[in-house]
Amino acid sequence: MAVLNAKDLTLQYDQRRVVEGLTAEIPEGKVTMIVGANACGKSTLLRGLSRLLKPAGGTVTLDGKDIHSRPAKELARILGLLPQHSTAPDGILVRDLVGRGRYPHQGFFRSWSTDDHLAVQRALEATETLELAERNVDELSGGQRQRVWIAMALAQETEVLLLDEPTTYLDLAHQVEVLDLITDLNRRRGTTVAIVLHDLNLAARYADHVIAMKGGRIVAEGTSADVVTEDLVRDVFGLDSRVLPDPISGTPLIIPLGRHHADFRKSETATLELVP
């Protein structure tokens, strides 16, 4: 498996710095969740790790080699990215879009093969989009379209997979389904995965490793139990909460305390019981 590292990484848009002096390692063969408030630099970090954004300082290496020194096609065979916002060509069919995930495996002397066909088929089946294969992408709902993009990323069959908000547009059942699918991929193939996710409870449940960001920097990283605490939720998200063990997974479960629960928050004797 490939090892992805960032060292003293600075990323910016024009002259506006978003990530500065960040050093991180995406643990090999693990699922890493990157969490933080809006505009903290999560998606920018993912763009930097995937070579979509050239560093203003520092380096990103894959297996010890600067990713900007590697040929694009070679890199794409090892590292895949699902951006937050993707646009499909007009009139393209679902099967053809998913098939584009096989582009890095093509070459001057290698055309479409049985392996390519099977990889696309597996990706469609895994994301429950096989029945959509002959439909135009433009005709799909937001949730269906998102699952098709995930299928394309899976068809690429890389050693490292970066996903920016892969559960966008999906209802809760499909959110869990997609995260189960990614976990299966990690456990079956040992794929190194890094995911930007807004839902902190789902991130805590599915993560082997959590990176919490604030203001373009990493403020905590480690297991969910070590990182997701009431103090961190208050610091990073500006939210008072109670963090309890998830009755299903045992991972941290965040219970937000809003203004309308002030009486609960102020009470010294209040308790919260969760019934499995």
Side-chain angles (χ1 to χ4, degrees), residues 144-176:
Q144 290 172 327
R145 195 176 296 120
Q146 186 69 4
R147 283 188 285 147
V148 168
W149 282 111
I150 293 170
M152 188 186 78
L154 296 183
Q156 196 171 335
E157 293 188 335
T158 55
E159 297 177 28
V160 180
L161 184 58
L162 309 179
L163 302 122
D164 193 357
E165 290 294 336
T167 56
T168 300
Y169 305 118
L170 301 181
D171 58 37
L172 184 57
H174 280 111
Q175 289 179 43
V176 171

Side-chain angles (χ1 to χ4, degrees), residues 129-274:
T129 53
L130 184 59
E131 64 181 20
L132 305 175
E134 305 307 323
R135 289 184 59 183
N136 193 306
V137 175
D138 295 336
E139 300 172 355
L140 304 181
S141 69
Q144 290 172 327
R145 195 176 296 120
Q146 186 69 4
R147 283 188 285 147
V148 168
W149 282 111
I150 293 170
M152 188 186 78
L154 296 183
Q156 196 171 335
E157 293 188 335
T158 55
E159 297 177 28
V160 180
L161 184 58
L162 309 179
L163 302 122
D164 193 357
E165 290 294 336
T167 56
T168 300
Y169 305 118
L170 301 181
D171 58 37
L172 184 57
H174 280 111
Q175 289 179 43
V176 171
E177 186 178 291
V178 163
L179 293 173
D180 279 341
L181 169 64
I182 292 167
T183 300
D184 289 342
L185 178 70
N186 164 258
R187 292 177 179 174
R188 186 176 66 250
R189 297 187 64 239
T191 304
T192 299
V193 181
I195 306 175
V196 169
L197 206 65
H198 272 301
D199 191 313
L200 193 53
N201 283 324
L202 287 177
R205 176 178 281 194
Y206 283 91
D208 297 311
H209 186 76
V210 176
I211 293 176
M213 294 185 62
K214 179 182 179 182
R217 299 179 183 273
I218 294 176
V219 295
E221 60 179 315
T223 65
S224 296
D226 290 336
V227 172
V228 183
T229 65
E230 293 175 7
D231 287 342
L232 180 121
V233 173
R234 185 180 301 110
D235 178 42
V236 171
F237 296 92
L239 176 69
D240 286 330
S241 66
R242 295 292 179 265
V243 176
L244 307 166
D246 187 317
I248 304 299
S249 63
T251 54
L253 178 67
I254 300 90
I255 311 296
L257 299 180
R259 290 184 296 104
H260 294 286
H261 300 90
D263 290 340
F264 174 86
R265 187 168 64 247
K266 292 177 181 178
S267 173
E268 295 180 357
T269 60
T271 59
L272 181 63
E273 296 181 356
L274 293 179

Side-chain angles (χ1 to χ4, degrees), residues 22-99:
L22 183 148
T23 295
E25 178 177 322
I26 305 302
E28 180 183 2
K30 303 292 185 181
V31 175
T32 296
M33 295 289 182
I34 304 172
V35 301
N38 289 341
C40 73
K42 304 186 300 295
S43 295
T44 299
L45 173 60
L46 219 62
R47 288 172 60 84
L49 291 174
S50 66
R51 205 170 80 167
L52 279 184
L53 187 59
K54 187 174 182 179
T59 58
V60 177
T61 59
L62 184 64
D63 286 341
K65 299 179 182 178
D66 191 319
I67 61 172
H68 290 273
S69 69
R70 305 183 74 147
K73 212 167 197 180
E74 173 190 299
L75 183 66
R77 285 195 292 268
I78 305 171
L79 188 153
L81 169 71
L82 177 64
Q84 188 172 9
H85 302 291
S86 303
T87 304
D90 291 339
I92 193 169
L93 298 180
V94 166
R95 186 180 296 278
D96 293 335
L97 181 62
V98 176

